[in-house]
Amino acid sequence: MTHSAINTSSNTQTTAKPNSQAWYGPMFSPEHGVYIVLLVSFLIGAAASQAWRLSTTLALICAFCGFQAEHPLVMQIKQRRTLKPRFLFWGGLYAVIAGGIAIWLYLSYPVVLWIYAGALTALMIDAFSVLQREQKSVLNELITFAAVCLATPFAYATTTGMISSTVVGLWILNTLFFSSAIFTVKLRKTKTSSVIPGTIYHAVATLILAFIYWLGWLSPAAVLAFGLALIKFGIIAVNQEWYRTAKIQFAAILETTTAFAFLTIVSLSVLPERLISL
């Protein structure tokens, strides 16, 4: 076979190969850690409501699609003046699904309007941060975690039709717990390896949770669950050199394990005593 024939055959194979970047190619957010945050936060809200209804399932789908819609939007903003059909299609599809369910849930549970307002505000701030190339700033990441953790009151409100002080406390607890990862992950990089910002954050977070406990919004067990974040940060801070050179898979496993341990403790803390004793 001649060289030109080889090239022709190669080109034919390349042409026949499916294009994953085509407008119809499925598009999902690569932020795998946020999936865990969303799921854990939602399940804690469902546990606090002590029920699971059709509206709860729809709320989960709505939250998932709303989160997925953010990724194509961010990618499109990064393109500046160039419109990408793939980003527009998938961003629009996710937005339509999330929006349709959100409207139905609002008609049934008007209280969720406050949650929608918070989520949309966070989305606008995130979009502006992308334009300013500040998406990875600590402030924007804190706002993003707070927005994702709105899944807690969302699950609760769409199941019970109300928002209680306890679920607000759980939302704050979840936000503070998962935002801890911002500072542990930054310890993997030399430029952001200082433990001072993380130490200040965890000290302030502990004081906030102590105040919320004093208000009676959280049980002792729920507040103590934040200790997992303190222990994790302490271990990483002491073994920073080892953590910096460890594989990223290890960091992911560590974050996932502590997240589900946190879910277990907090979920048990909001269940009735008669269920825990079974």
Side-chain angles (χ1 to χ4, degrees):
M1 183 179 291
T2 63
H3 182 69
S4 59
I6 294 175
N7 287 339
T8 302
S9 175
S10 176
N11 291 337
T12 302
Q13 293 176 0
T14 302
T15 303
K17 185 178 180 179
N19 184 6
S20 61
Q21 297 301 315
W23 67 270
Y24 51 81
M27 194 171 187
F28 297 100
S29 173
E31 300 291 339
H32 300 127
V34 183
Y35 290 104
I36 301 297
V37 178
L38 181 67
L39 178 62
V40 170
S41 297
F42 193 90
L43 291 178
I44 288 176
S49 68
Q50 300 174 22
W52 189 287
R53 300 187 173 89
L54 173 61
S55 58
T56 315
T57 302
L58 290 175
L60 179 58
I61 297 172
C62 179
F64 175 79
C65 290
F67 163 61
Q68 291 298 334
E70 184 263 354
H71 177 57
L73 172 63
V74 168
M75 296 301 293
Q76 179 57 65
I77 293 175
K78 288 181 177 179
Q79 296 298 316
R80 304 296 172 176
R81 299 180 180 179
T82 305
L83 294 178
K84 295 292 185 180
R86 184 167 181 247
F87 300 155
L88 297 175
F89 173 77
W90 286 102
L93 179 62
Y94 287 131
V96 167
I97 296 174
I101 297 176
I103 292 173
W104 186 88
L105 290 172
Y106 166 70
L107 294 176
S108 303
Y109 309 99
V111 70
V112 298
L113 184 62
W114 295 102
I115 300 172
Y116 295 165
L120 289 174
T121 300
L123 180 61
M124 289 188 290
I125 293 174
D126 185 52
F128 180 76
S129 298
V130 174
L131 283 173
Q132 300 298 316
R133 294 183 172 85
E134 293 291 336
Q135 189 182 17
K136 294 300 182 181
S137 67
V138 172
L139 177 60
N140 189 61
E141 289 186 329
L142 285 170
I143 294 173
T144 299
F145 274 115
V148 176
C149 289
L150 283 172
T152 298
F154 191 39
Y156 186 88
T158 54
T159 304
T160 65
M162 59 180 288
I163 294 179
S164 66
S165 58
T166 297
V167 82
V168 173
L170 290 172
W171 168 61
I172 296 173
L173 171 64
N174 291 343
T175 300
L176 294 175
F177 176 82
F178 287 113
S179 294
S180 169
I182 298 173
F183 301 92
T184 54
V185 170
K186 288 186 182 298
L187 293 179
R188 287 181 60 86
K189 301 179 181 179
T190 304
K191 292 183 179 180
T192 56
S193 61
S194 174
V195 298
I196 295 177
T199 302
I200 294 174
Y201 169 80
H202 287 86
V204 173
T206 301
L207 291 175
I208 292 174
L209 291 176
F211 177 69
I212 293 176
Y213 170 71
W214 178 77
L215 291 175
W217 291 7
L218 290 174
S219 67
V223 174
L224 289 175
F226 185 74
L228 291 171
L230 297 176
I231 294 171
K232 180 185 65 176
F233 179 76
I235 292 175
I236 292 174
V238 172
N239 301 278
Q240 197 170 343
E241 287 296 329
W242 162 76
Y243 182 71
R244 191 178 300 144
T245 57
K247 293 183 178 180
I248 188 64
Q249 290 85 349
F250 173 81
I253 292 173
L254 178 62
E255 296 294 340
T256 302
T257 302
T258 54
F260 281 104
F262 175 77
L263 168 63
T264 302
I265 296 172
V266 178
S267 295
L268 289 175
S269 74
V270 297
L271 291 177
E273 292 183 6
R274 59 184 177 82
L275 291 180
I276 298 176
S277 61
L278 292 178

